[in-house]
Every structure is written in C-alpha cells, then in structure tokens.
Amino acid sequence: ENNRDMGGIEGDWELRVEMCPVPAKLTIKCLMGGTWMLACMVPKGNMMQCMMKKVDGRLELLKFAITKRLPPVEIIELESELADFFSVGVETIVREGDNLRLSRKGTEYLFSVDKNVKK
C-alpha cells in the first residue's frame, strides 16, 4: 500500500558525471516487509549499501554499510560524495521517465536507466 508511490524505482541505474571517467551504478530492490535496499558502487571502488523503510510517507535509513578498499584515484571524489549522501539516508526517490531523482537536504542526483545491465 504505502509502497505504490515508490513504483518503478526498482532496477539498475547509473550516474554519469564529468568528474569521473566511469558511471556510478545503483541497484534498487524492494525486499520482504517493505524494506528497500539501495546498492551503489563506482566500478573498481567500494560497495555501498543502504537499507531503508518508508515510515509515515518518508524514507528512513535503517542501516548503511560500505566496504573498505582503497579506490583508484580517479573515482575517489565521486565515491566519497555518494558515500556522504547515502550514509545519512535518502529522503526522496522519484521516477521521472528514464531517470531517477534521489535527493535529501539540498543535494540531489539524477540517475538514468542502466541499459548495459546483463539481465
């Protein structure tokens, strides 16, 4: 019921930015009990995982985890920005056609459908 407005956000997404030679990848899945899992990674970097739940119409962070490898220098900037963003939780996730807007407190990222994912 309260997940229907999260419709169409599940799947594989990517974020392309000028500061980084490779796109960040994001996978979103709805798990049992209405928990949402967001897994984000810049290739060759660290895996970030966010577990969230919708409570009273807004997303609440249940858990954030990130692996501890040393990323290649060219992805460090984007990876640390995304880690800062996901570590405090995403406030809104909105599907806009082939794009997905993730935002919280004045920071937002516009991901697009990852068409290269092997199904």
Side-chain angles (χ1 to χ4, degrees):
E1 176 74 8
N2 67 344
N3 280 330
R4 69 166 185 266
D5 52 336
M6 305 270 289
I9 70 167
E10 278 190 276
D12 297 292
W13 306 88
E14 64 178 15
L15 176 70
R16 296 180 180 273
V17 290
E18 276 182 19
M19 70 169 109
C20 191
V22 289
K25 303 290 184 175
L26 173 69
T27 299
I28 300 181
K29 286 191 172 84
C30 186
L31 309 175
M32 296 292 291
T35 300
W36 290 86
M37 182 197 73
L38 285 63
C40 185
M41 184 177 198
V42 184
K44 297 198 177 78
N46 288 285
M47 172 63 78
M48 300 168 229
Q49 204 176 52
C50 227
M51 303 298 260
M52 308 192 67
K53 202 173 177 98
K54 199 143 204 191
V55 179
D56 297 333
R58 42 182 274 270
L59 287 166
E60 278 191 10
L61 180 67
L62 302 174
K63 193 174 100 192
F64 173 78
I66 184 168
T67 52
K68 296 279 192 279
R69 48 197 284 196
L70 189 65
V73 66
E74 67 270 14
I75 72 165
I76 284 178
E77 193 179 352
L78 178 58
E79 182 180 278
S80 62
E81 276 190 19
L82 289 170
D84 285 348
F85 179 77
F86 284 112
S87 65
V88 290
V90 184
E91 283 175 356
T92 58
I93 305 177
V94 181
R95 175 84 186 249
E96 302 173 355
D98 274 350
N99 293 323
L100 195 68
R101 190 178 299 276
L102 280 68
S103 55
R104 72 152 171 84
K105 295 185 185 62
T107 304
E108 64 174 36
Y109 292 99
L110 193 63
F111 284 77
S112 56
V113 170
D114 188 347
K115 298 183 169 76
N116 302 317
V117 172
K118 311 278 182 284
K119 288 288 176 242

